[in-house]
Amino acid sequence: MQINVNTDKTIERHAGLNDHVQTVVTAAISRFAEHITRVEVHLSDNNSQKSADGDNRCLMEARITGYQPIAVSDHAATLHQAINGAADKLKRAIDSALGRLYDKRNVPLSKAVSEAADEETTE
């Protein structure tokens, strides 16, 4: 599973920030790692000039084998809160999406995901 971190011009990107994002995302969705090819993380501060708090936003998009991409976002006073909030939302969204896929087919999760990928390529 590949995790890409992107920032806008208002956020200083450094190794500590990248490590934090990697750690939080991996901890949140590691149980789905075999089904996820890539996670895109976009960080921005919408009000960097207006206030000290800022309006930090974290958008996460997960690419899942055999399924449409899942995107979530979270706004918070700090960047770390936004990252944690978005990771939690992403975990719930993936769990829900893959759970529906499993329930629909009534087969083991890994087999359901591979069957969905086969159907998508044949359509």
Side-chain angles (χ1 to χ4, degrees):
M1 174 175 66
Q2 180 181 4
I3 301 172
N4 297 327
V5 180
N6 304 292
T7 60
D8 69 359
K9 63 183 178 184
T10 62
I11 300 203
E12 183 181 333
R13 187 172 172 183
H14 51 82
L17 180 60
N18 286 343
D19 291 344
H20 177 70
V21 171
Q22 295 274 344
T23 301
V24 170
V25 172
T26 301
I29 62 173
S30 62
R31 71 183 189 133
F32 307 113
E34 67 184 44
H35 305 293
I36 299 172
T37 57
R38 184 175 78 225
V39 177
E40 293 286 336
V41 180
H42 299 274
L43 305 172
S44 61
D45 184 357
N46 296 336
N47 293 329
S48 63
Q49 307 300 325
K50 296 179 184 176
S51 69
D53 310 340
D55 181 18
N56 295 289
R57 178 175 184 244
C58 178
L59 172 85
M60 292 186 185
E61 179 181 10
R63 303 287 177 145
I64 300 173
T65 306
Y67 203 75
Q68 294 293 320
I70 296 174
V72 298
S73 68
D74 194 53
H75 294 263
T78 69
L79 202 51
H80 288 284
Q81 289 172 340
I83 293 166
N84 290 330
D88 189 47
K89 287 180 181 181
L90 185 62
K91 178 175 85 171
R92 289 191 311 251
I94 293 170
D95 189 35
S96 176
L98 293 180
R100 280 193 307 263
L101 187 61
Y102 171 77
D103 288 344
K104 179 179 172 183
R105 299 183 188 282
N106 199 17
V107 294
L109 182 60
S110 59
K111 187 175 179 184
V113 171
S114 66
E115 286 177 4
D118 291 343
E119 284 179 9
E120 192 173 279
T121 57
T122 58
E123 291 178 354

Coordinates of all heavy atoms in Angstrom, one line a residue, residues 54-99:
G54 N -6.6 28.8 12.2 CA -6.6 28.2 10.8 C -7.8 27.3 10.7 O -8.6 27.0 11.6
D55 N -8.0 26.9 9.4 CA -9.1 25.9 9.1 C -8.4 24.8 8.4 O -8.4 24.8 7.1 CB -10.2 26.6 8.3 CG -11.3 25.6 7.9 OD1 -11.4 24.6 8.6 OD2 -12.0 25.9 6.9
N56 N -7.8 23.9 9.1 CA -7.0 22.9 8.5 C -7.8 21.8 7.9 O -8.8 21.3 8.6 CB -6.0 22.3 9.5 CG -5.0 23.3 9.9 OD1 -4.1 23.7 9.2 ND2 -5.1 23.8 11.2
R57 N -7.5 21.3 6.7 CA -8.3 20.3 6.1 C -7.4 19.2 5.6 O -6.3 19.4 5.1 CB -9.0 20.9 4.8 CG -9.8 20.0 4.0 CD -10.5 20.7 2.9 NE -11.4 19.8 2.2 CZ -11.2 19.4 0.9 NH1 -10.2 19.9 0.2 NH2 -12.0 18.6 0.4
C58 N -7.9 18.0 5.8 CA -7.2 16.8 5.3 C -8.2 16.0 4.5 O -9.3 15.6 5.0 CB -6.7 16.0 6.5 SG -5.9 14.4 6.0
L59 N -7.8 15.8 3.3 CA -8.6 15.0 2.3 C -7.8 13.7 2.1 O -6.7 13.7 1.7 CB -8.8 15.7 1.0 CG -9.5 14.9 -0.1 CD1 -11.0 15.0 0.1 CD2 -9.1 15.4 -1.4
M60 N -8.5 12.6 2.2 CA -7.9 11.3 1.9 C -8.7 10.5 0.9 O -9.9 10.5 1.0 CB -7.8 10.4 3.2 CG -6.8 10.9 4.2 SD -6.6 9.8 5.6 CE -5.6 10.8 6.7
E61 N -8.0 9.9 -0.1 CA -8.6 9.2 -1.1 C -7.9 7.8 -1.2 O -6.7 7.7 -1.4 CB -8.6 9.9 -2.4 CG -9.2 9.1 -3.6 CD -9.1 9.8 -4.9 OE1 -8.4 10.8 -5.0 OE2 -9.7 9.3 -5.8
A62 N -8.7 6.7 -1.0 CA -8.1 5.4 -1.1 C -8.5 4.7 -2.4 O -9.7 4.8 -2.7 CB -8.6 4.6 0.1
R63 N -7.6 4.1 -3.0 CA -7.8 3.4 -4.3 C -7.9 1.9 -3.9 O -6.9 1.3 -3.4 CB -6.7 3.6 -5.3 CG -6.5 5.0 -5.6 CD -7.6 5.5 -6.5 NE -7.4 6.9 -6.8 CZ -7.8 7.4 -8.0 NH1 -8.3 6.7 -8.9 NH2 -7.6 8.7 -8.2
I64 N -9.1 1.3 -4.0 CA -9.3 -0.1 -3.6 C -9.4 -1.0 -4.8 O -10.2 -0.6 -5.8 CB -10.5 -0.2 -2.7 CG1 -10.3 0.7 -1.5 CG2 -10.8 -1.6 -2.3 CD1 -11.5 0.8 -0.6
T65 N -8.8 -2.1 -4.9 CA -8.8 -3.0 -6.0 C -10.3 -3.5 -6.2 O -10.9 -4.0 -5.3 CB -7.9 -4.3 -5.7 OG1 -6.6 -3.8 -5.4 CG2 -7.9 -5.2 -6.9
G66 N -10.8 -3.3 -7.4 CA -12.1 -3.8 -7.7 C -13.3 -2.9 -7.2 O -14.4 -3.3 -7.2
Y67 N -12.9 -1.7 -6.8 CA -14.0 -0.8 -6.2 C -13.7 0.6 -6.6 O -12.5 1.0 -6.9 CB -14.0 -1.0 -4.7 CG -15.3 -0.6 -4.0 CD1 -16.4 -1.5 -4.1 CD2 -15.4 0.6 -3.3 CE1 -17.6 -1.1 -3.5 CE2 -16.6 0.9 -2.7 CZ -17.7 0.0 -2.8 OH -18.9 0.4 -2.2
Q68 N -14.7 1.4 -6.6 CA -14.5 2.9 -6.8 C -13.6 3.5 -5.7 O -13.7 3.1 -4.6 CB -15.9 3.6 -6.9 CG -16.7 3.2 -8.0 CD -16.2 3.6 -9.4 OE1 -15.6 4.7 -9.5 NE2 -16.2 2.7 -10.3
P69 N -12.9 4.5 -6.0 CA -12.1 5.2 -5.0 C -13.0 5.8 -3.9 O -14.1 6.2 -4.2 CB -11.4 6.4 -5.7 CG -11.4 6.0 -7.2 CD -12.6 5.1 -7.4
I70 N -12.5 5.8 -2.7 CA -13.3 6.3 -1.5 C -12.5 7.5 -1.0 O -11.4 7.5 -0.7 CB -13.4 5.2 -0.4 CG1 -14.2 4.0 -0.9 CG2 -14.0 5.8 0.8 CD1 -14.2 2.9 0.0
A71 N -13.3 8.6 -0.9 CA -12.7 9.9 -0.5 C -13.4 10.4 0.7 O -14.6 10.3 0.8 CB -12.7 10.9 -1.6
V72 N -12.6 10.9 1.7 CA -13.2 11.5 2.9 C -12.4 12.8 3.2 O -11.2 12.9 2.8 CB -13.2 10.6 4.1 CG1 -14.0 9.4 3.9 CG2 -11.8 10.2 4.5
S73 N -13.0 13.7 4.0 CA -12.2 14.9 4.4 C -12.6 15.2 5.8 O -13.7 14.9 6.3 CB -12.4 16.0 3.5 OG -13.7 16.5 3.6
D74 N -11.7 16.0 6.5 CA -12.0 16.4 7.8 C -11.4 17.8 8.0 O -10.3 18.1 7.5 CB -11.4 15.5 8.9 CG -12.0 15.7 10.3 OD1 -13.2 15.8 10.4 OD2 -11.2 15.9 11.2
H75 N -12.1 18.7 8.7 CA -11.6 20.0 9.0 C -11.4 20.1 10.5 O -12.2 19.6 11.3 CB -12.7 21.1 8.6 CG -12.9 21.2 7.2 ND1 -12.3 22.2 6.4 CD2 -13.6 20.5 6.3 CE1 -12.6 22.0 5.2 NE2 -13.5 21.0 5.1
A76 N -10.3 20.7 11.0 CA -10.1 20.8 12.4 C -9.2 22.1 12.7 O -8.6 22.7 11.7 CB -9.4 19.6 12.9
A77 N -9.1 22.4 13.9 CA -8.2 23.5 14.3 C -6.8 23.3 14.1 O -6.0 24.2 13.8 CB -8.5 23.9 15.8
T78 N -6.3 22.0 14.2 CA -4.9 21.7 14.0 C -4.8 20.7 12.9 O -5.7 19.9 12.6 CB -4.2 21.2 15.2 OG1 -4.7 19.9 15.5 CG2 -4.4 22.1 16.4
L79 N -3.7 20.7 12.3 CA -3.4 19.7 11.2 C -3.4 18.3 11.7 O -4.0 17.4 11.0 CB -2.1 20.0 10.5 CG -1.9 19.5 9.1 CD1 -3.0 20.0 8.2 CD2 -0.5 20.0 8.6
H80 N -2.9 18.0 12.9 CA -2.9 16.7 13.4 C -4.3 16.2 13.7 O -4.6 15.0 13.5 CB -2.0 16.6 14.7 CG -0.6 16.7 14.4 ND1 0.2 15.7 13.9 CD2 0.3 17.7 14.6 CE1 1.4 16.0 13.8 NE2 1.5 17.3 14.1
Q81 N -5.2 17.1 14.2 CA -6.5 16.7 14.4 C -7.3 16.3 13.1 O -8.0 15.4 13.1 CB -7.3 17.8 15.2 CG -6.9 18.0 16.6 CD -7.5 19.2 17.2 OE1 -7.9 20.1 16.5 NE2 -7.5 19.3 18.6
A82 N -7.0 17.1 12.1 CA -7.6 16.9 10.8 C -7.2 15.6 10.2 O -8.0 14.8 9.6 CB -7.3 18.0 9.8
I83 N -5.9 15.3 10.3 CA -5.3 14.0 9.8 C -6.0 12.8 10.6 O -6.4 11.9 10.0 CB -3.8 14.0 10.0 CG1 -3.2 15.0 9.0 CG2 -3.2 12.6 9.7 CD1 -1.7 15.3 9.3
N84 N -6.0 12.9 11.9 CA -6.6 11.8 12.7 C -8.1 11.6 12.4 O -8.6 10.5 12.3 CB -6.4 12.1 14.2 CG -4.9 11.9 14.6 OD1 -4.2 11.1 14.0 ND2 -4.6 12.7 15.6
G85 N -8.8 12.7 12.2 CA -10.2 12.7 11.9 C -10.5 12.1 10.6 O -11.4 11.2 10.4
A86 N -9.7 12.5 9.6 CA -9.9 11.9 8.2 C -9.5 10.4 8.2 O -10.2 9.7 7.5 CB -9.0 12.7 7.2
A87 N -8.5 10.0 8.9 CA -8.1 8.6 8.9 C -9.2 7.8 9.5 O -9.5 6.7 9.1 CB -6.8 8.5 9.7
D88 N -9.8 8.3 10.6 CA -10.9 7.6 11.2 C -12.1 7.4 10.3 O -12.7 6.4 10.2 CB -11.3 8.3 12.5 CG -12.3 7.5 13.3 OD1 -12.0 6.2 13.5 OD2 -13.3 8.0 13.8
K89 N -12.4 8.5 9.6 CA -13.5 8.5 8.6 C -13.2 7.5 7.5 O -14.1 6.8 7.0 CB -13.8 9.9 8.0 CG -14.4 10.8 9.0 CD -14.6 12.2 8.4 CE -15.3 13.2 9.3 NZ -15.5 14.5 8.6
L90 N -12.0 7.5 7.0 CA -11.6 6.6 5.9 C -11.7 5.2 6.4 O -12.2 4.3 5.6 CB -10.1 6.9 5.5 CG -9.7 6.1 4.3 CD1 -10.5 6.5 3.0 CD2 -8.2 6.5 4.0
K91 N -11.3 4.9 7.6 CA -11.4 3.5 8.1 C -12.9 3.0 8.1 O -13.2 1.9 7.6 CB -10.8 3.4 9.5 CG -11.0 2.0 10.1 CD -10.3 2.0 11.5 CE -11.2 2.4 12.5 NZ -10.7 2.2 13.9
R92 N -13.8 3.9 8.6 CA -15.2 3.5 8.6 C -15.8 3.4 7.2 O -16.6 2.5 6.9 CB -16.0 4.6 9.4 CG -15.7 4.5 10.9 CD -16.7 5.4 11.7 NE -16.8 6.7 11.1 CZ -16.3 7.8 11.7 NH1 -15.7 7.8 12.9 NH2 -16.5 9.0 11.1
A93 N -15.3 4.3 6.3 CA -15.9 4.2 4.9 C -15.4 3.0 4.2 O -16.2 2.3 3.5 CB -15.4 5.5 4.1
I94 N -14.2 2.6 4.4 CA -13.7 1.4 3.7 C -14.3 0.2 4.3 O -14.7 -0.8 3.6 CB -12.1 1.3 3.8 CG1 -11.5 2.4 3.0 CG2 -11.6 -0.1 3.4 CD1 -10.0 2.5 3.2
D95 N -14.4 0.2 5.6 CA -15.1 -1.0 6.3 C -16.5 -1.1 5.8 O -17.0 -2.2 5.5 CB -15.1 -0.7 7.8 CG -15.6 -1.9 8.6 OD1 -15.3 -3.1 8.2 OD2 -16.2 -1.8 9.7
S96 N -17.2 0.0 5.6 CA -18.6 -0.1 5.2 C -18.7 -0.6 3.7 O -19.5 -1.4 3.4 CB -19.2 1.3 5.3 OG -20.5 1.3 4.7
A97 N -17.8 0.0 2.9 CA -17.8 -0.4 1.4 C -17.4 -1.9 1.3 O -18.1 -2.6 0.5 CB -16.8 0.5 0.7
L98 N -16.4 -2.3 1.9 CA -16.0 -3.7 1.7 C -16.9 -4.7 2.5 O -17.1 -5.8 2.0 CB -14.5 -3.9 2.2 CG -13.5 -3.2 1.4 CD1 -12.1 -3.5 2.0 CD2 -13.5 -3.6 0.0
G99 N -17.5 -4.2 3.5 CA -18.5 -5.0 4.2 C -19.8 -5.2 3.4 O -20.3 -6.3 3.3

